[in-house]
Amino acid sequence: MIFKFLKPVHLLLLILLLVSLQAHANLTIRITQGSDQATPIAVVPFAWQGSGALPEDVGRILADNLERTGLFAPVPRENLVSLPSRGSEVIYRDWRLLNANYLVIGSIQEQDGRLRIAYELFDVISQERILGETVTARPEQLRSRAHFISDRIYEKLTDQKGIFSTRLAYVTAEQLDGRAEYRYRLHISDADGQRSRTILTSREPILSPDWSPDGSKLAYVSFERGRPAIFIQEVATGERYQLTNFRGLNSSPAWSPDGTRLAMTLSRDGSPEIYIYHLEQRRLTRVTHHYAIDTEPSWSPDGKNLIFTSSRSGGPQIYKVNLQSGQIKRVSFEGNYNARARYSPDGSEVFMIHRESGGGLFSVAALNMETGRLRTLTTSPLDESPSVAPNGSMVVYALMQDDQGILGVVSTDGRIRYELPAERGDVREPAWSPFLN
Amino acid sequence: MDLMKYSKPFALAAILALVAGCGGGAATQPGDEDEVTADEVHVSDDAEAAAAGDEDAARAEAMEDEAAARDAVQRPEVMTIYFDFDKSNIRSEFYDDLNAHAAYLQANPDARVVLEGHTDERGTREYNMALGERRGNSVQRYLSLQGVSGDQMEVVSYGEERPVVRNAQTREDHAKNRRVEFIY
């Protein structure tokens, strides 16, 4: 395992390999751009009182999680001068000398086959204990608890909900040895790419996974029957059914914020149009009426509007439709290719694929819905499929690197960027889950 | 069909060479009028590439002979036509090929064809799914106007999911991916 901590001044080439203890399908993590404004935090390895070795290094998971937000710079372990595991052992002066603004300590005790995890968070400057809690877990739940504790610490320090207990859905495409044949797989992993599991395998393309707002289901497009069709699958049970089988396109499923409807693209009436499928009534409402391409719908958080991609002005641009009035308004004007927009959770911005006029890069960009101001967040040439984390802090997207499709994550302020490559095959079509707890 | 579905670059080049032999114009090269002037891309490059291997040359020649012997109701050899970036309109150099398919389908009412629409790998996947379908629909509409029955044709778009050239880097390679394939 290679591990180097972020040096505040250096923005490049930090390699963080979380070697997988599980199957090869896990994604590894490489931080490619760090932040020089991150707040130093010391995370002391958790003391362990029990038999045998622990399956997870909780302190390490906390430090890695906090580092990946771009807001925190964990103090390298080798620089820790003491290893307190209880509040009474903390000497604030030691931590001030390390320039740590915050300190996390903890211990794990074995009790009747269960683990008792105690952790505390200190503000070194004000010399206060600002958070302390004990949680229990079965040994196999240790990683989930580490993510839970990360969420608690993050929320305490930023007043924003953490996303460490969320998940990613993504698709891999792997060429079979020496054959012009591929295996497509739909996976779900933790937000850090670990604990990946395959929930669907197919010889035909799978795309556009989208989480139901309660995180219990995924809608996606599968070509398994030779044509694109929309399926819905229960994440917990794997149970699935085909929702649509219209002539032509059946694509771009997007759950409404209340989970009762799916926006989608169908070409059953001629050209690709946006429709809304009412899941309970099994009724279809048509939203757009234009001979151009209309596709890639995304709901505003209040459920009142959809944004979508349309070629009605020539090339693809982002439009907004008010679902009550039916009024349609163009919202993207900069650049000659703007597509697949997704709302930020507060509705203030949309994240989309953007190409400058005359430029060659397809980048992830944020468009402010009030001011119309555009910020480009990535610099790779062929970015796709941006999906926003439920707290609005990060965007996961697909990119090509050295002829391999991988996932990238960039903070919405552009400060930190990291990559999640798979060991084999192309990774694509990421979808960040909603909050799951 | 399998040849076309997963056609290797040389096979495609051979077909292009054949088309060049028949049509005699640079216009049969899958081009990119948005980004390339006609002068920058010549079909001869591909024809030469095809001729580089004796086998390929022989294949191209064989296909050319077949083409010469072709009569209107035989299944046309040209199974793929190409499009410009983000466009679905049919380029005029492909009218002859489409007319040949129309004649074949009308002479063989039992024949069925799937028009597979494809795009290059740039841009977003769902937009490309729609764009691929528009390309297929353009072909279907053209064939309908020539009198082909709607029952004989079906459009399926794969968007950018099934490129001929994976991880294409050059304009020429992108151009080879922007296509409609006739699958009989």
Side-chain angles (χ1 to χ4, degrees):
Chain A
M1 187 183 288
I2 304 164
F3 193 94
K4 280 187 196 166
F5 268 102
L6 197 63
K7 288 213 178 83
V9 216
H10 289 146
L11 291 180
L12 283 174
L13 283 182
L14 255 164
I15 296 172
L16 169 61
L17 282 172
L18 295 178
V19 175
S20 137
L21 299 169
Q22 297 193 23
H24 69 273
N26 283 344
L27 305 173
T28 51
I29 290 182
R30 292 198 278 266
I31 295 186
T32 51
Q33 178 190 299
S35 168
D36 58 354
Q37 291 155 21
T39 302
I41 185 168
V43 182
V44 177
F46 279 32
W48 165 231
Q49 295 152 5
S51 55
L54 275 176
E56 302 283 355
D57 182 340
V58 172
R60 176 72 77 209
I61 296 170
L62 299 186
D64 290 349
N65 281 344
L66 293 170
E67 181 179 29
R68 272 200 311 280
T69 65
L71 301 176
F72 299 99
V75 176
R77 256 187 193 180
E78 61 269 27
N79 294 357
L80 301 178
V81 283
S82 58
L83 301 173
S85 63
R86 270 190 305 225
S88 57
E89 296 165 0
V90 171
I91 300 159
Y92 286 108
R93 190 174 45 96
D94 290 350
W95 304 102
R96 264 207 313 276
L97 286 172
L98 280 174
N99 290 320
N101 292 14
Y102 297 101
L103 168 68
V104 178
I105 62 170
S107 63
I108 305 171
Q109 273 183 322
E110 196 176 21
Q111 272 181 358
D112 309 326
R114 289 179 77 83
L115 302 174
R116 210 168 152 272
I117 313 158
Y119 71 93
E120 293 174 87
L121 170 67
F122 299 90
D123 181 330
V124 174
I125 314 292
S126 68
Q127 305 197 359
E128 275 177 290
R129 176 183 185 269
I130 53 177
L131 183 64
E133 212 177 3
T134 301
V135 293
T136 58
R138 294 190 303 273
E140 67 274 15
Q141 293 172 317
L142 201 49
R143 199 168 180 93
S144 299
R145 291 298 183 274
H147 290 320
F148 169 80
I149 295 167
S150 304
D151 284 331
R152 301 280 290 170
I153 292 171
Y154 179 86
E155 188 168 356
K156 186 72 194 174
L157 297 180
T158 67
D159 280 335
Q160 184 183 47
K161 244 185 129 173
I163 48 173
F164 309 111
S165 302
T166 60
R167 288 176 178 170
L168 297 175
Y170 55 91
V171 174
T172 57
E174 197 183 331
Q175 187 165 15
L176 300 184
D177 288 338
R179 278 187 281 174
E181 215 182 296
Y182 283 78
R183 276 294 171 275
Y184 299 87
R185 293 186 177 89
L186 179 59
H187 306 260
I188 291 176
S189 74
D190 285 1
D192 61 5
Q194 295 294 297
R195 295 198 290 188
S196 157
R197 65 190 175 94
T198 304
I199 65 163
L200 182 71
T201 303
S202 174
R203 291 162 175 266
E204 301 293 334
I206 303 167
L207 63 165
S208 306
D210 191 61
W211 293 85
S212 65
D214 65 0
S216 70
K217 298 187 233 359
L218 282 170
Y220 52 81
V221 175
S222 169
F223 276 76
E224 67 198 61
R225 299 194 176 157
R227 315 178 152 44
I230 295 172
F231 288 76
I232 290 179
Q233 184 164 341
E234 292 273 350
V235 173
T237 62
E239 210 174 295
R240 61 197 286 270
Y241 66 98
Q242 186 174 340
L243 181 73
T244 67
N245 187 25
F246 295 108
R247 189 183 169 88
L249 284 186
N250 295 255
S251 71
S252 280
W255 295 88
S256 64
D258 65 3
T260 62
R261 292 155 290 167
L262 266 188
M264 59 182 64
T265 305
L266 303 172
S267 61
R268 61 196 285 259
D269 298 321
S271 63
E273 305 283 0
I274 311 289
Y275 293 77
I276 291 173
Y277 189 91
H278 302 259
L279 289 162
E280 201 149 299
Q281 301 96 314
R282 300 187 184 187
R283 187 166 53 85
L284 210 54
T285 321
R286 182 164 167 182
V287 178
T288 60
H289 298 80
H290 200 283
Y291 59 84
I293 292 172
D294 291 328
T295 186
E296 302 176 327
S298 167
W299 296 80
S300 62
D302 62 9
K304 291 180 179 162
N305 302 292
L306 287 176
I307 45 170
F308 61 98
T309 309
S310 178
S311 66
R312 57 187 65 196
S313 65
Q317 294 292 342
I318 307 302
Y319 290 75
K320 181 166 104 173
V321 56
N322 180 310
L323 292 175
Q324 196 135 59
S325 68
Q327 199 195 13
I328 292 177
K329 217 177 91 186
R330 179 170 167 179
V331 297
S332 70
F333 294 94
E334 223 174 290
N336 64 8
Y337 196 113
N338 290 300
R340 200 189 181 277
R342 291 287 185 271
Y343 269 104
S344 63
D346 67 2
S348 66
E349 286 190 310
V350 301
F351 295 89
M352 61 186 187
I353 294 302
H354 163 74
R355 183 166 79 157
E356 286 171 38
S357 298
L361 299 184
F362 291 83
S363 319
V364 177
L367 175 66
N368 187 300
M369 291 297 270
E370 273 154 45
T371 66
R373 217 174 74 85
L374 188 110
R375 298 180 293 130
T376 301
L377 296 173
T378 62
T379 53
S380 30
L382 275 179
D383 297 343
E384 288 188 324
S385 310
S387 174
V388 192
N391 69 357
S393 69
M394 310 295 271
V395 177
V396 64
Y397 60 103
L399 69 149
M400 287 302 292
Q401 191 177 70
D402 302 330
D403 284 352
Q404 198 197 7
I406 64 172
L407 301 187
V409 178
V410 62
S411 60
T412 48
D413 61 13
R415 287 211 298 199
I416 189 163
R417 204 154 46 210
Y418 60 91
E419 292 166 356
L420 293 163
E423 284 162 39
R424 283 186 299 174
D426 291 319
V427 197
R428 53 172 74 149
E429 297 291 89
W432 211 309
S433 81
F435 290 116
L436 299 171
N437 50 7
Chain B
M1 265 158 313
D2 280 339
L3 171 72
M4 287 316 299
K5 214 162 176 180
Y6 303 111
S7 86
K8 290 173 184 151
F10 69 77
L12 185 68
I15 289 159
L16 287 169
L18 157 72
V19 174
C22 298
T28 44
Q29 164 72 10
D32 188 340
E33 287 173 8
D34 271 359
E35 294 164 17
V36 196
T37 66
D39 288 344
E40 279 182 66
V41 186
H42 286 294
V43 71
S44 57
D45 296 343
D46 284 308
E48 274 161 27
D54 280 347
E55 220 180 283
D56 298 337
R59 183 199 304 236
E61 217 172 306
M63 293 176 85
E64 215 167 335
D65 288 342
E66 273 175 42
R70 168 172 81 188
D71 80 33
V73 290
Q74 272 190 324
R75 191 183 287 176
E77 283 84 357
V78 175
M79 291 292 191
T80 308
I81 70 162
Y82 299 92
F83 294 82
D84 295 334
F85 178 72
D86 197 27
K87 295 282 187 288
S88 55
N89 57 298
I90 290 163
R91 285 163 27 194
S92 54
E93 69 262 32
F94 294 115
Y95 287 154
D96 287 348
D97 299 317
L98 295 184
N99 291 341
H101 282 280
Y104 174 74
L105 286 163
Q106 284 178 284
N108 298 280
D110 293 338
R112 297 280 180 276
V113 67
V114 177
L115 304 167
E116 270 190 15
H118 300 270
T119 70
D120 69 33
E121 297 165 295
R122 297 173 298 170
T124 63
R125 287 180 189 276
E126 288 286 11
Y127 183 80
N128 282 337
M129 285 267 287
L131 182 58
E133 186 180 74
R134 274 178 97 71
R135 288 177 178 162
N137 285 346
S138 287
V139 172
Q140 185 178 39
R141 203 173 308 119
Y142 182 87
L143 295 178
S144 290
L145 288 171
Q146 309 312 310
V148 177
S149 156
D151 299 341
Q152 290 179 271
M153 301 179 281
E154 187 185 1
V155 172
V156 174
S157 172
Y158 279 92
E160 63 176 277
E161 308 302 321
R162 290 205 164 149
V164 169
V165 184
R166 241 164 230 273
N167 304 321
Q169 305 292 333
T170 64
R171 288 165 180 159
E172 290 79 3
D173 285 347
H174 283 308
K176 286 171 190 163
N177 288 337
R178 296 191 297 267
R179 68 206 194 276
V180 165
E181 293 185 10
F182 290 78
I183 311 290
Y184 280 97

